[in-house]
Amino acid sequence: MEKSIFRVALALLILLALPAVSHAQRKASTVPTVKLTKSEVKALGFGGKSYKQKQPNVWQISGGVTVYATHAYGSKIYGFAGPTPLFIAVGKSGKIISICAAPNGETPEYFSLASKELLSKWNGKTLKQAAKYKPDAVSGATFSSHAIIRTVNATAAALSAK
């Protein structure tokens, strides 16, 4: 009798644990791996410099600059039409050098307005400072602005905690 109760309890525990495991596996596999292109390297201000991938979503540009894709940290942060992924270039000093937009589904007119005003606001800030910095949203492109701000904040917070 005790063995059968134990077996039933064990079977129930296993059944209860399976959805959590599969959810964790789905969550881990939903972070997209992206490529950094020459046009994005140029947009970051390093056109013509060589770069290589260090690990998924992280690249090293000659001269000691590291570029991080925000996809892993901001994929659940939405603007008007979905996530607003970015690339963040960080120097050896740990300060942000530049930020550029990655391909996204935002309306180009509004996203361009927001990114033009916002992306340079974090330049010169450490990752720890950038995690807390909240510049004003751009009027007329509020959804995109808030998504950019939250994506930079989330990425900087995660990277500064490493």
Side-chain angles (χ1 to χ4, degrees):
M1 179 78 167
E2 283 182 29
K3 285 184 181 181
S4 62
I5 292 174
F6 175 76
R7 287 181 184 157
V8 169
L10 182 62
L12 283 172
L13 283 173
I14 290 170
L15 286 174
L16 289 173
L18 282 177
V21 170
S22 63
H23 174 71
Q25 289 170 337
R26 279 194 309 272
K27 187 175 179 184
S29 66
T30 59
V31 175
T33 300
V34 295
K35 289 189 175 198
L36 181 68
T37 67
K38 288 181 181 182
S39 64
E40 289 149 346
V41 171
K42 183 178 180 181
L44 287 166
F46 303 100
K49 292 211 175 196
S50 63
Y51 62 98
K52 65 179 181 176
Q53 191 165 8
K54 287 176 53 175
Q55 57 190 1
N57 301 325
V58 180
W59 298 265
Q60 191 73 44
I61 295 179
S62 59
V65 175
T66 304
V67 176
Y68 299 95
T70 65
H71 299 64
Y73 312 104
S75 63
K76 304 269 189 227
I77 299 171
Y78 289 85
F80 186 74
T84 54
L86 307 166
F87 291 102
I88 300 176
V90 179
K92 287 180 184 178
S93 66
K95 292 184 178 181
I96 294 175
I97 297 171
S98 59
I99 301 173
C100 80
N104 61 70
E106 294 291 279
T107 306
E109 176 186 349
Y110 295 106
F111 190 76
S112 176
L113 178 66
S115 62
K116 201 178 291 186
E117 291 289 322
L118 286 175
L119 294 182
S120 64
K121 299 284 186 181
W122 287 272
N123 292 357
K125 297 194 180 321
T126 65
L127 289 170
K128 197 169 192 170
Q129 292 167 332
K132 296 176 183 176
Y133 182 64
K134 297 193 187 319
D136 291 334
V138 176
S139 181
T142 310
F143 284 104
S144 295
S145 295
H146 285 293
I148 289 169
I149 293 165
R150 290 179 56 222
T151 297
V152 173
N153 292 157
T155 303
L159 294 173
S160 66
K162 289 185 177 185

